[in-house]
Amino acid sequence: MRELTADQIRASMVNASEAEIERMPLPGLHETVWADREYLGWRDPAGSPRGYIVHWVDDRPVGILVRAASTTLRPGIGAMCSLCHTPQPSTQVVMFSAPRGGEAGRDGNSIGTYICADLACSIMIRIVPGTSELMLMRDELVARRSAGLQHRLENFTANILKTA
């Protein structure tokens, strides 16, 4: 992923009001390892249900405001993030909703999907089981997972931006 500035992140938000953008907390950008990310994702550190995803679409950053559901999946079962396709305990996957962009979002239309609760899919796809055979193919495996994550994120973003 290409590096982003605070101004680029704020200007990229496609489904948030000006007030939401103004009070949007930013992650530590100086600490971000951009080469190991397909997108920048973070939750509001104040404990609100808000989260943010910013990624590049063609040559422009696109930011999405998401909100975590107040209910969770039943503990003790498995779940899978719809972006990174990583199976994990149900407590680590949350239903997020995102208002559509433009008038549709202002009218209350939204899209929902299950995503890693910490929005850290870029980290999840880089965790490879420790078998020697998989470690030899690690770079190829991560590249395939990265391409899949980017494709699914682009589709999710396209659905948010649909006007009808």
Side-chain angles (χ1 to χ4, degrees):
M1 176 170 177
R2 288 180 277 173
E3 191 170 339
L4 292 162
T5 66
D7 289 340
Q8 285 175 308
I9 291 170
R10 290 190 188 285
S12 74
M13 300 307 290
V14 297
N15 66 341
S17 69
E18 287 184 28
E20 289 170 320
I21 293 169
E22 276 183 33
R23 65 177 182 263
M24 176 175 66
L26 293 175
L29 299 178
H30 62 284
E31 301 167 351
T32 302
V33 180
W34 297 99
D36 288 347
R37 292 186 177 265
E38 287 65 33
Y39 69 88
L40 179 63
W42 73 100
R43 296 285 301 266
D44 185 335
S48 82
R50 287 187 305 272
Y52 308 90
I53 296 173
V54 182
H55 67 110
W56 289 90
V57 176
D58 299 324
D59 282 333
R60 72 180 186 107
V62 176
I64 303 165
L65 166 68
V66 294
R67 286 187 179 86
S70 59
T71 59
T72 59
L73 293 170
R74 187 182 55 166
I77 63 171
M80 185 166 68
C81 172
S82 65
L83 294 182
C84 66
H85 280 188
T86 303
Q88 47 195 319
S90 61
T91 56
Q92 296 176 8
V93 177
V94 175
M95 170 61 82
F96 281 93
S97 63
R100 287 193 186 265
E103 187 176 337
R106 288 187 294 276
D107 288 343
N109 294 322
S110 63
I111 302 287
T113 194
Y114 286 97
I115 306 175
C116 292
D118 58 4
L119 300 175
C121 296
S122 291
I123 294 170
M124 296 303 294
I125 65 167
R126 287 170 171 76
I127 298 172
V128 177
T131 66
S132 58
E133 292 144 4
L134 286 177
M135 292 309 284
L136 291 173
M137 302 180 340
R138 183 187 188 287
D139 291 343
E140 178 184 330
L141 185 59
V142 170
R144 278 190 289 157
R145 288 177 173 179
S146 174
L149 170 56
Q150 289 176 7
H151 176 73
R152 289 182 289 275
L153 182 56
E154 288 169 7
N155 287 341
F156 181 58
T157 302
N159 281 336
I160 290 168
L161 295 174
K162 280 184 184 173
T163 57

